[in-house]
Amino acid sequence: MRLPRWAGTLAAKSAAFITVMCCALAALLGVLVHVSVTDQTVAQAREQALSRLAEATGDFEAGDTLMPEARVDPRGLPSPLRALALAGRRGTMVSKEDGRPLMWAAGPADRHRVLAVAVDYSQQARTIAALDGSILWSSALAIGATLLVGAFAVTRVTRRLHGTAQVARRISAGDLDARVDDPRTKDPTRPQDEVAAVAAALDGMAASLQSKLLSEQRFTADVAHELRTPLTGLHAAAELLPPGRPTELVRDRVAALRTLTEDLLEISRLDAGRERLETDAEALGALAERVVQASGTETEVKVVRDVWVETDRRRLERVLGNLVANAHRHGRAPVVLTVEGKEVTVRDHGAGFPEYLVAHGPQRFRTEGGSKGHGLGLTIAVGQAEVLGARLSFANAVDGGAVATLTLP
């Protein structure tokens, strides 16, 4: 049996716990009060009945007229009490006669008869019934009041927890400036509860993470900018070398180093969050065909359903170009680019994406399986997709191959 989603919340669990505990406590106290008062009431009625039985026994033995409530062998006398009296003992018992409760006291009159006294027990029965009703109403009132107070207290805690969770989600979405700023953490004189401790830990973690990321971004940007000047000179010097195989190797490595530097600069700009869109209407199918043609690769383009989109053409071409290049570099042919509405899919038929990439997305300077590269192409694709407001996801096909899916807004 599946419980509803709201049943798993802290407020619902607290309400259930408070209700169960209040009901248990009310039941325990109610039983104790009921038993105590009932025993006292019954004892008083029994004492009164036995006292009258003693008077009636004296009158019977003296031959005097019995009091109205005393009778010999009365018809309404309960059978267990009659048997007790015939055995020569005295006793009491409550029973009903014509719907009216009576306290019977009986004892032996002679060898074969029973002398019994019936005392009206209606007042005592009404007292016990009124007591039970008062216990029920007071228990219900106490449970309701406790639930209201408990709900107010728990709601304050859950509201703070929801606020902390919302800040954590903002941080995971990239808003490193988000903080809980619980007032209890700023005033050491106030008592610190567990929620305040969690909020303080989250704020400290966010500050540390922000500091480290900013340091990394500054380092990346500084390295890329510092490399640009010597690379320009190195490229110019390589162009002056005489033709030959060594010159081709030098020029190839210089070109790779320039590409890496430009990628680092682009990542630093994306990390800084200063990118601005220049949107225009573009036919998605035609744009995909231009990207494949510019890549110079044997990539099949399938346009299932073409649409026009408002997007930044240069950034979209950069994303698709990186996906196609990654498919050819790390996968195997055939590579297929499919346009279906606002969803563009790039699939190869290689070994597929690594597990870490499918689970957590691309990570710069990390590749697996002996692949060549720096892990920057997909990182840039994800960053540019975020600037476009698009969503880029990675998965592996059931029959093999990596599948990158770009969903435009």
Side-chain angles (χ1 to χ4, degrees), residues 60 66 70-75 82 109-110 112-116:
F60 180 78
L66 298 177
R71 286 171 284 177
V72 177
D73 286 335
R75 294 179 55 186
R82 182 185 297 275
D110 50 33
H112 302 291
R113 291 189 302 175
V114 174
L115 177 62

Side-chain angles (χ1 to χ4, degrees), residues 5-6 14 37 58 115 136 138 146 161 187 235 256 288 327 330 382 388:
R5 186 180 297 273
W6 57 264
S14 301
V37 173
L115 177 62
L136 289 176
S138 60
T146 306
L161 288 174
D187 187 0
H235 177 73
H330 302 293
V382 170
L388 292 172

Side-chain angles (χ1 to χ4, degrees), residues 177-316:
D177 293 322
R179 297 291 184 274
V180 180
D181 287 333
D182 194 314
R184 289 170 178 78
T185 61
K186 298 179 180 180
D187 187 0
T189 60
R190 299 182 64 178
Q192 304 294 311
D193 57 6
E194 288 78 5
V195 181
V198 171
L202 180 62
D203 287 347
M205 181 199 70
S208 176
L209 179 63
Q210 185 180 34
S211 176
K212 291 180 180 180
L213 288 178
L214 290 176
S215 298
E216 179 185 343
Q217 292 170 8
R218 283 195 297 268
F219 175 76
T220 302
D222 292 343
V223 168
H225 280 290
E226 292 297 328
L227 284 176
R228 251 185 158 181
T229 301
L231 275 177
T232 302
L234 189 59
H235 177 73
E239 294 295 329
L240 299 177
L241 293 175
R245 181 60 181 167
T247 300
E248 292 178 1
L249 292 176
V250 171
R251 290 175 179 174
D252 179 68
R253 293 300 86 196
V254 170
L257 193 55
R258 289 190 67 180
T259 301
L260 175 59
T261 303
E262 294 300 325
D263 287 346
L264 288 174
L265 283 171
E266 186 169 356
I267 286 178
S268 67
R269 289 194 298 268
L270 291 172
D271 288 340
R274 292 192 295 266
E275 297 292 303
R276 294 293 179 266
L277 289 176
E278 297 179 3
T279 59
D280 198 3
E282 298 287 341
L284 198 53
L287 187 144
E289 291 176 354
R290 289 199 306 270
V291 169
V292 170
Q293 185 177 2
S295 68
T297 59
E298 294 183 0
T299 302
E300 180 183 358
V301 178
K302 291 183 178 179
V303 181
V304 179
R305 180 167 61 88
D306 198 3
V307 294
W308 284 77
V309 293
E310 286 285 338
T311 188
D312 189 319
R313 178 181 58 80
R314 181 184 65 84
R315 298 184 190 279
L316 183 55

Side-chain angles (χ1 to χ4, degrees), residues 1 31 60 76-77 158 162 171 174 191 204 235 263 286 291 294 304:
M1 181 178 176
V31 169
F60 180 78
L77 184 66
T158 54
H162 283 307
I171 293 173
H235 177 73
D263 287 346
V291 169
V304 179

